[in-house]
Amino acid sequence: MRRVGIEVAVAIAEAAALAGVEVISAYPITPQTHIVEHLAELVANGELDAEFITVESEHTAMSAALGASLTGARAFTSTSSQGLALMNEIVYITSSMRAPVVMALANRALSAPISIWNDHSDVMNERDTGWISIFANNGQEAYDLTFMAFKIGEDPEVLLPVMVNFDGFILTHVIEPIWMFEKEEVEGFIPPYEPPYRLDPGRPVTMGPVGLPDVYTEVKKQQEEAIRGSRKVIDRVWREFEENFGRRYRAVEEYRAEDAEVVLLTQGSVTEAAQVVVDEMRGRGKRWGVVELRLWRPFPFGDLREVLCNGRVKCVVVLDRAISFGGPLGIVMSEVRSALYHEAERPMVVGVTAGLGGRDIRFEDYVRMFEVGEESYREGKEPEEVIIVGLRE
């Protein structure tokens, strides 16, 4: 391994190349463009033996990746925001056809108004598409998780697409020191992709035909069992990665939460910022901690219950960076509250929303989030609405 100061988007491209990607389908959209630009450069320079398909839209980018995967090729694409929204039709089809495409998603706000800055409205819009979905909180994680995504999705027990989320601009365009692998260090870690069925002109098959009412329900049930069953493979791949390379990944991570009364549940790059706040406020006598939800789908029910339902945590404040309009506002908050509903020692679950459209979340905003949790458990009542932190009067 060598430690390199590198733009995170470029590191993600290097991770896909290191995994031996064979087909890249690409359409530019800010802030993910540097990923596919670097892959195009690697292919053009002869450093990566792969097909680079330049398409006319994100819808076609996902269509091309799906088709390539169904022929048995290791396929990769990348997008953001409106690009993912345009892909949406084929995103559903890719998981339903059990094609292990890997997608790097540079999280960006959805329009309107037009915003090129970060929040999580794009990925939350894809919550129920049937993809494995994982969040990175820094450049090293984005590099590692992209590399491992191929091994997870292509496992014969899984055969599902994998979406790796990382915050647009906050991560994509930032130069970080990242430990990067030499090719000989990882040879054999990701086996060749061997699909049980593939599109082959010599042996024609039909994939994705009409699902009549007497088969459709069973197909969807099988798909649901597949993504739930993928969890054991995800854990196994993460263990193998730790054993081989020393870096540890878990579905739910804790930071100073073992004795915390109030914890902030986070996803993505806000995690490390929240940890800095906790360190500072611990010095002022606050028993606060951070819980990071790295694995979004399949949802880690048991892990979350083990961390939060221990009798010590009085309140978990869930930080959402997207809004469910007309719903309970907090998408992640709703899922966490539902996951803990039947637990006898469940903490209060309070929702806060911040950072929409790339708005800065300041130190005092994080403090306010924790204070909302403290106030809630002292008053013995969960707020009926999610609180938007940093909202101008």
Side-chain angles (χ1 to χ4, degrees):
M1 277 188 287
R2 68 193 192 282
R3 203 175 194 203
V4 179
I6 188 171
E7 184 184 291
V8 173
V10 175
I12 290 166
E14 289 284 342
L18 186 68
V21 64
E22 297 168 307
V23 175
I24 303 123
S25 55
Y27 190 81
I29 185 171
T30 301
Q32 70 81 26
T33 306
H34 290 184
I35 299 170
V36 291
E37 280 183 348
H38 187 64
L39 284 166
E41 183 180 28
L42 294 176
V43 172
N45 291 344
E47 298 173 67
L48 175 61
D49 184 13
E51 293 294 326
F52 190 95
I53 307 172
T54 304
V55 296
E56 83 287 354
S57 74
E58 290 89 356
H59 185 282
T60 310
M62 183 54 69
S63 299
L66 169 60
S69 182
L70 293 177
T71 67
R74 181 165 288 157
F76 176 86
T77 190
S78 179
T79 194
S80 296
S81 183
Q82 307 302 127
L84 181 61
L86 185 57
M87 284 182 175
N88 192 54
E89 177 188 7
I90 313 302
V91 170
Y92 274 95
I93 293 171
T94 302
S95 59
S96 299
M97 296 186 73
R98 307 291 294 276
V101 174
V102 171
M103 175 163 60
L105 179 57
N107 299 124
R108 168 188 152 185
L110 287 171
S111 301
I114 295 171
S115 172
I116 64 170
W117 295 277
N118 166 250
D119 68 21
H120 286 172
S121 52
D122 54 2
V123 60
M124 293 303 158
N125 193 47
E126 306 298 318
R127 180 187 63 178
D128 300 323
T129 55
W131 283 56
I132 295 169
S133 187
I134 308 170
F135 280 83
N137 73 41
N138 58 36
Q140 186 69 66
E141 290 192 0
Y143 176 81
D144 292 348
L145 291 170
T146 300
F147 178 68
M148 286 186 281
F150 294 94
K151 186 176 177 70
I152 291 168
E154 293 172 4
D155 189 284
E157 296 182 51
V158 178
L159 293 178
L160 286 170
V162 182
M163 184 185 303
V164 179
N165 297 275
F166 46 95
D167 289 341
F169 289 115
I170 299 170
L171 290 184
T172 54
H173 287 56
V174 171
I175 294 174
E176 293 189 8
I178 296 175
W179 287 103
M180 302 183 72
F181 298 113
E182 305 292 349
K183 190 170 181 60
E184 57 270 18
E185 291 179 295
V186 296
E187 285 182 350
F189 183 76
I190 300 177
Y193 173 39
E194 296 291 345
Y197 307 100
R198 68 177 73 201
L199 292 173
D200 182 351
R203 300 181 64 184
V205 295
T206 298
M207 293 185 179
V210 173
L212 298 175
D214 58 348
V215 301
Y216 187 87
T217 300
E218 287 70 28
V219 171
K220 294 293 110 175
K221 173 62 174 175
Q222 183 186 64
Q223 190 178 345
E224 162 68 358
E225 290 179 351
I227 193 165
R228 288 184 181 271
S230 71
R231 176 60 198 278
K232 62 179 180 294
V233 176
I234 295 168
D235 288 340
R236 185 175 74 228
V237 170
W238 285 348
R239 283 195 305 270
E240 290 177 9
F241 187 85
E242 182 180 5
E243 290 164 2
N244 282 275
F245 310 115
R247 291 193 288 276
R248 176 183 182 272
Y249 289 89
R250 297 292 183 271
V252 176
E253 300 278 8
E254 299 177 71
Y255 184 80
R256 307 193 74 168
E258 62 282 348
D259 64 341
E261 292 184 338
V262 178
V263 299
L264 183 68
L265 187 138
T266 61
Q267 291 177 302
S269 63
V270 297
T271 300
E272 292 183 337
Q275 291 171 355
V276 171
V277 174
V278 164
D279 287 343
E280 173 67 24
M281 298 308 290
R282 282 273 176 160
R284 304 183 197 179
K286 295 293 188 181
R287 290 172 59 185
W288 295 350
V290 177
V291 172
E292 178 188 7
L293 185 61
R294 174 174 288 119
L295 184 61
W296 178 229
R297 285 294 186 273
F299 194 84
F301 294 96
D303 308 66
L304 209 58
R305 290 166 184 155
E306 183 178 347
V307 169
L308 297 176
C309 300
N310 52 29
R312 295 187 300 275
V313 178
K314 307 299 182 185
C315 183
V316 52
V317 181
V318 181
L319 172 54
D320 269 281
R321 285 191 279 161
I323 293 177
S324 175
F325 298 105
L329 285 179
I331 300 167
V332 183
M333 181 273 288
S334 299
E335 300 238 339
V336 171
R337 183 176 286 177
S338 176
L340 306 183
Y341 181 76
H342 290 293
E343 298 300 308
E345 292 190 285
R346 80 171 182 91
M348 286 188 172
V349 181
V350 174
V352 296
T353 299
L356 298 181
R359 179 166 294 183
D360 287 340
I361 307 176
R362 300 164 300 175
F363 186 97
E364 55 267 31
D365 294 327
Y366 287 104
V367 171
R368 178 58 188 147
M369 295 176 201
F370 283 104
E371 289 176 344
V372 166
E374 287 185 329
E375 292 164 6
S376 297
Y377 84 74
R378 276 201 300 265
E379 294 171 4
K381 184 180 179 181
E382 294 174 340
E384 295 181 5
E385 296 182 356
V386 170
I387 298 165
I388 300 180
V389 175
L391 184 67
R392 293 201 307 269
E393 296 295 334

